[in-house]
Amino acid sequence: MIRSALINVMVAAARKAGRVLIRDFGEVEQLQVSLKGPGNFVSAADRRAEEILHIELSKARPGFGFLMEERGRIEGKDRSNQWVVDPLDGTTNFLHGIPLFAISIALVKDGTAVAGVVFNPVSDELYVAERGRGAFLNDRRLRVAARRELTDCVVCCGIPHRGRGDLALFRKELAAVQERVAGVRRTGAAALDLAWVAAGRFDAFWERGLSSWDLAAGLVIAREAGGIVTDLDGGDEVLDKGSVIAGNELVHRALIAVLTAA
Ligand code: IPD
Ligand code: CA
Ligand code: CA
């Protein structure tokens, strides 16, 4: 795979921030056993990774704006290009020493996500995609799973956090889906969930109540792997609505019907 200059910039930034997260993850594993616990340390890790991403991406593309989970929106001189960044997706996993988390970087051009990088530094799995150029995992071309029947499918979901989101609705949806599929999973890192749909590990993924930094990079990756990715009303407002459903065309259609009827 020949990477564009843009993807090279994104990958270099992700790898640099990944080194910091790996070092801090090692610390968390130690702090896990201490009474103080790793809570504050984790938010510091988050901020450290975000700072590196901000510095590296600004250096490479001065003028581009930012939307970052910790810093919020930073306007750039260039009004059309914006980096949408989650420096640590899967914070709860990170905090508990579970090696399932990722750095997520997307480039959004005039409101459309056009490039995405999702990097899990523990497994060294680097997912990249650029609009019209395909999706790759460590240079291997990705394609969503080809299963046709929901009964054969492993479906990933997101569970609303305590006190947030519509838990009653989620429970209804889960009950409906669980009866129809081979298995349901919850990883706790939405960017990876979409990347895993792209890699054919999950046949589908749905979640509500997400933010654009959770979704923008994974969205490009899943679409470039041939997936259909929409909001839960079946439209294209994934980033604005923060709701998502992804899978191959048949599975996407079948799952959205189950969820709508729930
Ligand atoms: C969270 C993860 C999780 C999803 C949450 C997100 P964070 O992001 O993506 O899978 O269910 O809603 O907020 O907080 O770990 O960056
Ligand atoms: Ca996130
Ligand atoms: Ca985060």
Side-chain angles (χ1 to χ4, degrees), residues 13 17 31 45 70 73 79 89 105 121 126-128 131 167 180 193 201 224-225 228 236 241 244 248 258:
L31 288 167
E70 308 299 323
R73 192 178 299 277
R79 296 278 157 178
D89 184 53
I105 307 171
L126 177 74
Y127 298 85
V128 309
R131 231 177 153 201
L167 194 57
R180 304 284 300 274
D193 295 335
R201 293 176 182 172
E224 283 301 315
I228 305 294
D236 198 17
K241 290 187 177 166
V244 68
N248 75 31
V258 171

Side-chain angles (χ1 to χ4, degrees), residues 77-161:
K77 279 206 186 100
D78 179 335
R79 296 278 157 178
S80 31
N81 288 293
Q82 185 187 46
W83 299 115
V84 177
V85 175
D86 189 344
L88 172 55
D89 184 53
T91 320
T92 308
N93 288 342
F94 189 94
L95 178 70
H96 286 258
I98 299 168
L100 260 181
F101 54 87
I103 290 156
S104 174
I105 307 171
L107 181 65
V108 173
K109 206 178 179 65
D110 301 319
T112 303
V114 294
V117 166
V118 171
F119 178 47
N120 176 347
V122 180
S123 61
D124 198 32
E125 288 189 320
L126 177 74
Y127 298 85
V128 309
E130 209 174 338
R131 231 177 153 201
R133 293 182 175 216
F136 298 83
L137 162 55
N138 295 345
D139 292 340
R140 180 169 59 82
R141 183 86 191 237
L142 294 179
R143 185 79 207 157
V144 291
R147 286 185 194 84
R148 308 172 67 87
E149 303 294 335
L150 267 189
T151 44
D152 299 326
C153 289
V154 169
V155 174
C156 180
C157 65
I159 305 173
H161 291 263

Side-chain angles (χ1 to χ4, degrees), residues 42 53 63 74 77 116 129 167 178 195 206 214-216 228 230 232 242:
V42 171
L53 293 168
I74 304 167
K77 279 206 186 100
L167 194 57
Q178 189 263 331
W206 97 93
D214 302 312
L215 290 164
I228 305 294
T230 67
L232 277 156

